[in-house]
Amino acid sequence: MLDKKIEKKILSITTVEQEQLNNNGINICDVKLDNNEEFKKHPILRMPFWNFFDFGRISITKSNRFSYIPAHKHKFFEINYCFSGRSIQYIDDHIIELHPGELIIMDREIQQRINYARKQDILINL
């Protein structure tokens, strides 16, 4: 069973989530991206390694809700775990729908995008 403090934190609405709610689901990029020259060469966003691993070799975050996550790639492995609701993802354009208790493991440089997440759609990223 999950500790009540952790569950409360997971279910709380973050600043970015509130901003996405206030802006009718427009995606707010909360990741500081590398310079625009790299984006001009590769139009699929590459999430910078340093942004996630400031505190160690493993990063655990909650995906922002109330919007979508545009196509992107990582320079690292990623595990997405569906805590509640659902998560509809496009992995190299294959549709994957995760339900509570399910996870997906993605290799480096896999193209991923995620459909709009509702309030009950909690996705944990490792």
Side-chain angles (χ1 to χ4, degrees):
M1 180 160 212
L2 192 60
D3 181 276
K4 291 292 181 193
K5 288 180 186 176
I6 294 172
E7 186 172 10
K8 183 177 179 182
K9 178 123 176 107
I10 289 172
L11 296 175
S12 68
I13 295 176
T14 67
T15 304
V16 171
E17 290 174 332
Q18 187 62 56
E19 193 171 343
Q20 290 180 161
L21 264 174
N22 295 345
N23 289 296
N24 298 315
I26 293 174
N27 180 267
I28 305 298
C29 184
D30 65 333
V31 176
K32 186 176 178 187
L33 299 172
D34 293 331
N35 67 40
N36 284 335
E37 292 306 312
E38 182 67 22
F39 182 71
K40 288 176 188 173
K41 292 181 212 169
H42 306 283
I44 301 299
L45 296 175
R46 280 193 164 62
M47 296 297 174
F49 185 85
W50 52 265
N51 202 84
F52 295 94
F53 301 102
D54 288 342
F55 302 106
R57 296 174 53 103
I58 297 175
S59 176
I60 302 173
T61 60
K62 177 182 83 170
S63 280
N64 292 318
R65 298 169 289 171
F66 312 115
S67 188
Y68 61 92
I69 298 177
H72 65 281
K73 295 182 178 186
H74 298 276
K75 297 176 184 178
F76 47 85
F77 293 94
E78 181 179 15
I79 299 171
N80 285 344
Y81 173 77
C82 184
F83 178 78
S84 67
R86 69 171 187 219
S87 177
I88 299 172
Q89 303 189 29
Y90 298 84
I91 310 301
D92 283 339
D93 289 324
H94 297 283
I95 297 174
I96 306 287
E97 185 170 340
L98 297 177
H99 299 98
E102 296 179 340
L103 58 82
I104 186 170
I105 302 171
M106 292 170 281
D107 201 352
R108 290 172 252 197
E109 299 302 322
I110 297 296
Q111 183 177 309
Q112 169 195 30
R113 61 189 168 97
I114 303 174
N115 269 10
Y116 183 92
R118 306 162 299 170
K119 183 176 183 175
Q120 66 270 29
D121 299 332
I122 307 287
L123 186 69
I124 305 298
N125 309 305
L126 296 102

